[in-house]
Amino acid sequence: MNIFEMDAAYVANTYRRFPLEIVGGQGALLTGADGREYIDLGSGIAVNTFGMNDEAWKQAVIAQLGAVGHTSNLYYTAPQAQLARMLCERTGMKRVFFGNSGAEANECAIKAARKYASDKYGPGARPTIVTLVNSFHGRTISTLSATGQEVFHRDFGPFTPGFVHVPANDLAALERALEENACCGVMLEMIQGEGGVIPLDKAYVQGAARLCALRDVLLIADEVQTGNGRTGTLYAWQQFGVVPDLFSTAKGLGGGLPIGACPLGEKVKDTLGASSHGSTFGGNPICATGALNVLSRIDEALLAGVRAKHDRILAALQGAPGVEAVTGLGLMLGVKTVRPAGEVVKTCMENGVLALTAKDKVRLLPPLNIPDDLLDRALETLRAAAQ
Ligand SMILES: *Cc1c(COP(=O)(O)O)cnc(C)c1O
């Protein structure tokens, strides 16, 4: 039985996989079981911030494995406290809750927003969280409820009550939703990732922040995909001219290890009291060490590199035959092609380049340190595939 057959026989069939087994890699170059090398423009969906098998990250994690692997959150471990401090110092947030995934980081944000309102206005007085049509916030029942895409809802109801979806970039609709519902939070992705790599208008985000502040409704940024340097700033909200009351992040934070974080700002820093929330693995020393290594290396030089590579990609793709538009920020890009995105990605893979799709776009999420020569080679392949 080969791996494809074993997977088909024994793994829950929730994934439509590409017909490729990955057996190794170095940086942005992955090795298939077919003996071929592939240039990685997906990073395990924005996770492998510094690519596969990054030496500094690996050595840090190995050293931690040899010291303290797991303790539960009943004891103190240094990496978790150090990571929380680094996140706070670099964002202005005041405390951090750690989980293991994006969905859990969002669950924490939802619970914090509801408890903030419950503490202040009475239990159940303001339960509603407004999110956007075409958003994606995760696959747990509550984060699915938050997700504004019907395709994810079919078959799984009943859902957690208290979520309202409004169209993006429509400030009047948001204001109406805040008037008509008893709201504790507004949750936004600065760039809708799974929704097709669609950035929000800056003026809309700033307007939403103003509406939230006026009504003591918490602004929650879902930075699960956009975070950790992906868009050319440490967090995407830092280039929209707003400061959220709290935000969630995960994917790229651990550089390949599962960790999610919910940094909490001044208003909500003490909202989640003892025993109100928790996670067995959350902020585990191994994952926190991986995240510390990643975060400490996302400095201004790296971010300038991300923005330069963005310009390089735009120069190669904008106006290229078969390319209709390129959307996104930094190294989170959506490419609208004349050929269906799935077919373009398939052709790319046949020619040694791994890309992703998001709705009708080809989605690019390369490692933040992908060398320019590899990037250029991959873009040449993508240009050819788009025609
Ligand atoms: C991927 C993603 C999530 C869910 O993260 P998981 O780690 O898969 O639970 C939530 N929000 C956004 C914006 C995402 O891109």
Side-chain angles (χ1 to χ4, degrees):
M1 205 181 244
N2 68 30
I3 290 298
F4 297 152
E5 291 162 349
M6 204 182 293
D7 182 286
Y10 294 112
V11 178
N13 55 359
T14 57
Y15 302 107
R16 259 186 309 208
R17 300 187 202 273
F18 293 104
L20 172 64
E21 180 197 356
I22 295 170
V23 295
Q26 186 61 55
L29 220 42
L30 306 185
T31 312
D34 54 8
R36 294 180 62 193
E37 284 201 319
Y38 294 86
I39 304 174
D40 182 17
L41 299 184
S43 308
I45 318 186
V47 165
N48 297 329
T49 304
F50 294 111
M52 192 73 94
N53 201 18
D54 175 80
E55 191 60 27
W57 174 86
K58 185 172 66 178
Q59 291 309 332
V61 171
I62 287 172
Q64 186 60 41
L65 273 167
V68 181
H70 177 81
T71 62
S72 86
N73 279 309
L74 298 175
Y75 308 97
Y76 293 91
T77 58
Q80 184 179 132
Q82 290 163 351
L83 177 60
R85 180 172 67 180
M86 193 179 286
L87 277 166
C88 288
E89 285 177 353
R90 296 194 62 183
T91 61
M93 298 290 126
K94 302 299 180 192
R95 296 183 187 281
V96 184
F97 178 83
F98 292 107
N100 313 286
S101 66
E104 281 173 283
N106 283 337
E107 289 276 351
C108 176
I110 292 163
K111 285 179 75 171
R114 285 192 172 168
K115 184 157 188 304
Y116 172 81
S118 174
D119 288 348
K120 205 161 168 180
Y121 302 101
R126 289 189 178 198
T128 305
I129 294 179
V130 182
T131 70
L132 298 183
V133 173
N134 197 44
S135 60
F136 182 82
H137 297 294
R139 303 251 189 192
T140 62
I141 289 293
S142 291
T143 57
L144 269 183
S145 310
T147 293
Q149 297 190 56
E150 279 311 313
V151 290
F152 292 107
H153 291 175
R154 205 174 43 219
D155 303 331
F156 295 114
F159 289 98
T160 309
F163 291 92
V164 169
H165 312 297
V166 298
N169 297 322
D170 182 345
L171 216 48
L174 178 60
E175 190 161 23
R176 230 171 12 251
L178 292 174
E179 261 163 31
E180 290 169 2
N181 302 277
C183 295
C184 60
V186 171
M187 182 152 73
L188 306 173
E189 300 160 89
M190 298 297 128
I191 305 175
Q192 294 189 328
E194 304 304 312
V197 198
I198 306 169
L200 293 181
D201 295 344
K202 205 167 167 179
Y204 174 75
V205 174
Q206 293 177 356
R210 265 195 307 276
L211 289 178
C212 284
L214 275 174
R215 294 162 185 270
D216 194 23
V217 168
L218 300 174
L219 180 66
I220 306 167
D222 179 342
E223 293 267 355
V224 173
Q225 189 163 158
T226 50
N228 312 300
R230 176 57 51 189
T231 68
T233 48
L234 183 58
Y235 293 99
W237 56 259
Q238 293 169 319
Q239 54 188 306
F240 281 77
V242 298
V243 179
D245 293 297
L246 66 168
F247 71 96
S248 57
T249 191
K251 289 193 169 90
L253 180 60
L257 287 165
I259 184 167
C262 183
L264 306 159
E266 185 64 41
K267 272 190 175 181
V268 280
K269 70 176 184 201
D270 295 322
T271 295
L272 293 169
S275 308
S276 69
H277 196 41
S279 165
T280 300
F281 287 108
N284 160 300
I286 306 300
C287 300
T289 295
L292 261 175
N293 180 272
V294 167
L295 208 58
S296 65
R297 292 161 65 194
I298 303 175
D299 54 13
E300 200 30 62
L302 183 96
L303 293 171
V306 169
R307 297 190 294 263
K309 289 177 203 302
H310 169 97
D311 293 344
R312 201 175 185 92
I313 295 173
L314 251 53
L317 296 182
Q318 267 180 341
V323 174
E324 288 179 348
V326 185
T327 58
L329 296 168
L331 289 176
M332 177 172 178
L333 293 163
V335 185
K336 178 80 185 78
T337 49
V338 177
R339 283 185 75 202
E343 286 179 25
V344 174
V345 168
K346 185 165 178 284
T347 305
C348 282
M349 194 171 125
E350 286 162 4
N351 291 291
V353 171
L354 304 183
L356 305 167
T357 59
K359 288 275 175 79
D360 61 345
K361 306 252 181 70
V362 177
R363 178 168 44 155
L364 309 180
L365 299 163
L368 301 188
N369 62 347
I370 184 171
D372 285 342
D373 59 328
L374 279 186
L375 184 58
D376 290 347
R377 265 170 56 196
L379 290 170
E380 208 37 63
T381 302
L382 177 56
R383 280 165 60 108
Q387 294 186 47

